[in-house]
Amino acid sequence: MRHRLLTSRWITALALVLAAALANAQTLRFDSAKGKLAVTSVATGLDTPWSLAFLPDGRMLVSERVGRLRIVGADGVLSAPIANVPPVHASGQGGLLDVVIGPQFAADQRIYFSFAQPTARGVRTAVARARLDADATPPRLSEVEVIFAQQDDPPGGHHFGSRLVFDDAGHLFITLGERYHSRERALALDSHLGKIVRIHPDGAVPADNPFVGRTGALPEIWSYGHRNVQGAARHPVTGALWTHEHGPQGGDEINIPRAGANHGWPEITFGREYVTGWRIGEGTARADVAAPVHHWTPSIAPSGMAFYTGTLFPAWQGNLFVGSLKFGMLVRVVLEGEQVVGEERLLTEIGHRIRDVRQGPDGALYVLDETEGRILRIAPAN
């Protein structure tokens, strides 16, 4: 498949189409501590959108949890479902989850996606890569290859994770839930449940992973003791992986998962049991457990995560943005180094489940409104 770079004429045309689409779309204005925001619906008609990725030509690639991938044009028009997506377990919290373009996409057109994969015994989180022919009718995947799958495949429909992040060296980080009823396995190094793993793009294990060569430990594991990680992004300055994960009643966490780190779940947590409110584990801190950078109690049910590095919002540079499913908002987290020093809650007037947040190539923020099945663009109001 041949990748066609856009000429300056096509880039200009794309910009004009996008401007016209935005002018005709409904735009709402909201207050923020750094000025008025213009929030525009740029695409509608999605079914439970889960993840958003930008293609080099400005089009958007969106996963729908029900098991579909779609391309969204600059005019907001949805493509037909992309052909050859593998079967997914679209039940409960399972389905088609994260999608990212590969680090060599301009040369090989490879995308990577995570999904709840049905098995003979149950279901597990898996990751596949494939070549995307975005210009076929309909668009299609080829050379679909599963490069990672959890060893554990219990039944049920909860806590699959899963976000995908590439580092500068081309390693792929995969965040994995502990599947709720198997939470004790989050601390077991012979299990993929409740882990972050690190692999090469073809699925091979990097030789410098922290548990390579350790008896009884899976070599893919990067960090462990996680609950349900649904947000991940690399810090724009340090390059470190930052994540957030769902707690139960309280204890949603922002973490910096370093090599070999134990993040404690379910022995160390700020959360409590559902319904009863009973304490979980043995406390909120322990010397051998990596403490969270920040926690939300009560829970906000975080999902999606992005550092802002654009120029449309100079005052937001370096801030971390996190979607909230429970309270229907976008949270702006202000940082000084690795310390959280402030927080602002945005879009509370909309009150819809925000599933993902990404910075667009135009410097605007784009969020997936899961409730209404739409993509929202956030920019400064004129």
Side-chain angles (χ1 to χ4, degrees):
M1 179 173 54
R2 186 178 177 182
H3 180 65
R4 298 179 295 177
L5 296 176
L6 293 175
T7 64
S8 59
R9 178 182 299 176
W10 281 107
I11 293 173
T12 301
L14 178 66
L16 291 173
V17 171
L18 178 59
L22 293 177
N24 292 327
Q26 181 185 16
T27 298
L28 302 175
R29 284 169 170 76
F30 301 99
D31 291 326
S32 83
K34 300 300 182 181
K36 293 278 189 181
L37 305 178
V39 179
T40 306
S41 177
V42 298
T44 60
L46 294 161
D47 187 343
T48 322
W50 212 94
S51 178
L52 168 67
F54 283 91
L55 298 174
D57 62 9
R59 289 181 291 177
M60 292 171 276
L61 185 61
V62 178
S63 65
E64 296 175 292
R65 195 176 56 76
V66 292
R68 291 191 294 262
L69 277 173
R70 292 186 186 271
I71 294 171
V72 182
D75 56 1
V77 173
L78 307 185
S79 75
I82 295 173
N84 301 327
V85 173
V88 307
H89 176 82
S91 179
Q93 298 168 359
L96 186 58
L97 304 172
D98 207 11
V99 61
V100 297
I101 66 170
Q104 305 299 322
F105 182 84
D108 62 20
Q109 293 81 56
R110 276 202 173 111
I111 66 168
Y112 294 74
F113 54 93
S114 59
F115 61 105
Q117 181 186 49
T119 70
R121 295 186 302 178
V123 61
R124 61 189 179 184
T125 301
V127 177
R129 67 176 181 176
R131 294 185 187 273
L132 171 66
D133 186 349
D135 297 317
T137 305
R140 63 175 58 93
L141 301 180
S142 63
E143 299 178 34
V144 180
E145 174 189 11
V146 174
I147 59 169
F148 172 82
Q150 287 178 311
Q151 271 192 2
D152 317 74
D153 56 349
H158 294 84
H159 295 191
F160 295 93
S162 161
R163 293 291 176 179
L164 308 176
V165 175
F166 281 99
D167 67 12
D168 281 338
H171 301 118
L172 177 61
F173 290 98
I174 306 167
T175 75
L176 302 167
E178 36 72 290
R179 299 300 311 284
Y180 188 65
H181 293 295
S182 303
R183 69 189 191 185
E184 291 77 13
R185 300 287 285 159
L187 293 172
L189 292 178
D190 62 349
S191 168
H192 288 130
L193 298 181
K195 308 300 190 295
I196 293 173
V197 301
R198 176 180 180 251
I199 60 174
H200 288 298
D202 63 356
V205 177
D208 61 346
N209 269 9
F211 297 106
V212 167
R214 178 167 167 175
T215 301
L218 297 175
E220 299 89 359
I221 295 174
W222 178 259
S223 60
Y224 63 106
H226 299 284
R227 187 170 183 264
N228 189 21
V229 184
Q230 290 195 342
R234 289 180 58 237
H235 192 282
V237 176
T238 68
L241 178 70
W242 287 51
T243 64
H244 66 61
E245 63 189 78
H246 288 252
Q249 288 195 119
D252 295 344
E253 297 179 356
I254 296 177
N255 289 301
I256 306 174
R258 295 187 169 93
N262 173 10
H263 288 269
W265 176 256
E267 293 178 355
I268 301 298
T269 177
F270 289 88
R272 291 174 175 261
E273 298 285 8
Y274 294 117
V275 183
T276 66
W278 293 343
R279 291 186 179 277
I280 299 173
E282 60 192 65
T284 59
R286 199 172 70 194
D288 65 322
V289 171
V293 172
H294 185 64
H295 72 92
W296 284 285
T297 302
S299 296
I300 67 166
S303 192
M305 185 175 186
F307 285 96
Y308 186 75
T309 61
T311 58
L312 278 185
F313 296 100
W316 286 1
Q317 288 185 354
N319 290 177
L320 184 64
F321 288 83
V322 175
S324 167
L325 300 171
K326 182 177 180 180
F327 294 124
M329 61 187 178
L330 182 66
V331 182
R332 180 173 72 91
V333 180
V334 184
L335 303 170
E336 287 184 3
E338 295 182 352
Q339 302 296 315
V340 173
V341 297
E343 178 182 304
E344 180 181 15
R345 300 188 168 193
L346 305 168
L347 310 189
T348 55
E349 299 91 340
I350 295 178
H352 293 169
R353 290 165 60 90
I354 301 299
R355 175 57 73 175
D356 199 10
V357 53
R358 307 281 177 167
Q359 180 180 311
D362 57 356
L365 283 175
Y366 289 77
V367 300
L368 290 181
D369 176 349
E370 181 182 276
T371 306
E372 292 293 328
R374 58 183 177 167
I375 303 171
L376 302 177
R377 178 182 185 266
I378 306 169
N382 296 329

